[in-house]
C-alpha cells in the first residue's frame, strides 16, 4: 500500500504544510524519491532548509516557502502561487492545552489556534483546489485529530479548530468529487512530535511515531478515502452520543495527563 501511495504522486507537485518538523517533515522525506516537486511550507526557514537538503539527498526536488498561516492574506496569495499543485497535504497545526477560564481574557488562544488549524489552512487551500478542479484531478489531505469528534476538556481551542477543519473537509469532498478531486480528513491520535512534548514529555506514552503517521498519509494518497482514523474512534463516538458528560470526563482524564 505504501508503494501505491508513492506511485500515486509520481512526478507530481506536492505541497506539505508544517514541513519543518514532525509529521510534515516525515511525509516530505518519505515522498522525496517519488514526487516531481515537493513544496515545503512552514514558519521556520532554517528548519525548512534542513528538510530541503535531506529531500535533495534522497533524490527529490524541494522548494521552500516561509509562511505563517495565521496571516490569511499571505496564505491566500501563496495558494495562488501554488495553484499548479496536484496534491496538498495540509498538516500544519497549533496545539494549546489551556482551560477555558484560563483564556477567558486571552482571546488570542482561540485566534491563534483557528488561524493555523482552520482559517489559514483553508485560505491556502482554496486557490489550489480551484486549480485542481480546473485540471480535473487532485487530492487534498487535511490532518485533523481524533479530538475533532471526541472533544477533550482542557483542549477546547484545539478541539474546536480541528473540528472546523475536519467538518470543512468532509463537506467539500462530495462537491469536488465530480471534478475528480478528493478530500481526506486524517484524524490522528496522539503523535510523538515536538508540538506535544511540552505537555506530554520527551517520550509520550502510547503515542504514534511520526513514521507511522506518515504511512497513514501515504495509504490515503493511494486509496483517497474521505476519513482516516483509528478503529476505536467509532465506538468512542457512540459512547459520546449516549453519555456525553461521562465520555467527556473520561477523555479529559486521559488528555490532561502528563508524562
Amino acid at each position: 500500500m505504501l508503494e501505491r501511495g508513492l506511485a500515486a504522486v509520481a512526478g507530481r507537485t506536492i505541497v506539505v504544510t508544517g514541513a519543518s518538523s514532525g509529521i510534515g517533515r516525515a511525509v516530505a522525506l518519505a515522498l522525496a524519491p517519488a514526487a516531481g516537486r515537493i513544496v515545503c511550507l512552514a514558519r521556520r526557514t532554517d528548519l525548512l532548509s534542513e528538510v530541503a537538503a535531506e529531500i535533495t539527498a534522497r533524490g527529490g526536488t524541494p522548494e521552500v516557502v516561509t509562511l505563517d498561516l495565521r496571516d490569511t492574506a499571505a496564505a491566500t496569495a501563496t495558494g495562488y502561487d501554488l495553484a499548479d499543485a496536484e496534491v496538498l497535504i495540509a498538516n500544519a497545526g497549533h496545539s494549546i492545552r489551556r482551560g477555558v477560564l484560563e483564556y477567558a481574557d486571552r482571546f488570542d488562544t482561540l485566534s491563534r489556534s483557528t488561524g493555523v488549524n482552520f482559517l489559514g489552512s483553508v485560505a491556502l487551500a482554496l486557490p489550489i483546489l480551484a486549480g485542481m478542479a480546473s485540471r480535473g484531478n487532485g487530492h487534498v489531505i487535511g490532518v485533523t485529530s481524533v479530538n475533532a469528534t471526541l472533544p477533550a476538556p482542557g483542549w477546547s481551542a484545539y478541539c474546536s479548530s480541528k473540528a472546523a477543519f475536519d467538518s470543512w473537509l468532509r463537506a467539500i469532498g462530495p462537491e469536488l468529487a465530480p471534478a475528480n478531486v478528493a478530500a481526506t480528513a486524517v484524524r490522528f491520535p496522539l503523535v510523538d512530535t515536538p508540538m506535544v512534548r511540552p505537555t506530554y514529555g520527551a517520550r509520550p506514552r502510547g503515542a504514534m511515531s511520526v513514521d507511522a503517521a506518515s504511512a497513514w498519509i501515504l495509504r490515503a494518497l493511494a486509496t483517497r478515502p474521505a476519513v482516516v482514523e483509528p478503529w476505536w474512534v467509532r465506538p468512542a463516538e457512540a459512547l459520546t452520543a449516549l453519555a456525553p458528560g461521562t465520555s467527556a470526563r473520561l477523555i479529559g482524564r486521559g488528555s490532561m495527563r502528563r508524562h
Side-chain angles (χ1 to χ4, degrees), residues 149-207:
T149 59
L150 302 171
W155 297 88
S156 56
Y158 177 75
C159 293
S160 58
S161 58
K162 285 295 189 181
F165 193 35
D166 189 276
S167 180
W168 183 77
L169 288 163
R170 288 183 289 116
I172 67 172
E175 296 183 42
L176 296 171
N180 195 33
V181 177
T184 301
V186 181
R187 298 171 178 168
F188 283 119
L190 183 67
V191 180
D192 184 10
T193 67
M195 185 173 71
V196 308
R197 288 172 191 158
T199 299
Y200 293 101
R203 295 185 178 182
R205 288 183 297 173

Side-chain angles (χ1 to χ4, degrees), residues 33-111:
R37 167 176 160 238
I38 302 179
V39 181
C40 299
L41 188 152
R43 292 181 300 115
R44 296 172 292 184
T45 306
D46 54 340
L47 295 182
L48 283 175
S49 297
E50 293 175 10
V51 174
E54 292 185 64
I55 290 172
T56 300
R58 296 187 182 205
T61 303
E63 180 179 326
V64 168
V65 175
T66 303
L67 175 69
D68 187 338
L69 287 171
R70 291 173 295 184
D71 185 343
T72 54
T76 297
T78 301
Y80 279 109
D81 290 341
L82 300 174
D84 63 334
E86 293 145 298
V87 177
L88 168 61
I89 300 173
N91 159 78
H94 182 65
S95 176
I96 301 177
R97 187 184 76 157
R98 185 170 294 154
V100 64
L101 296 181
E102 294 178 285
Y103 67 81
D105 60 349
R106 298 184 60 181
F107 185 75
D108 68 310
T109 296
L110 284 171
S111 60

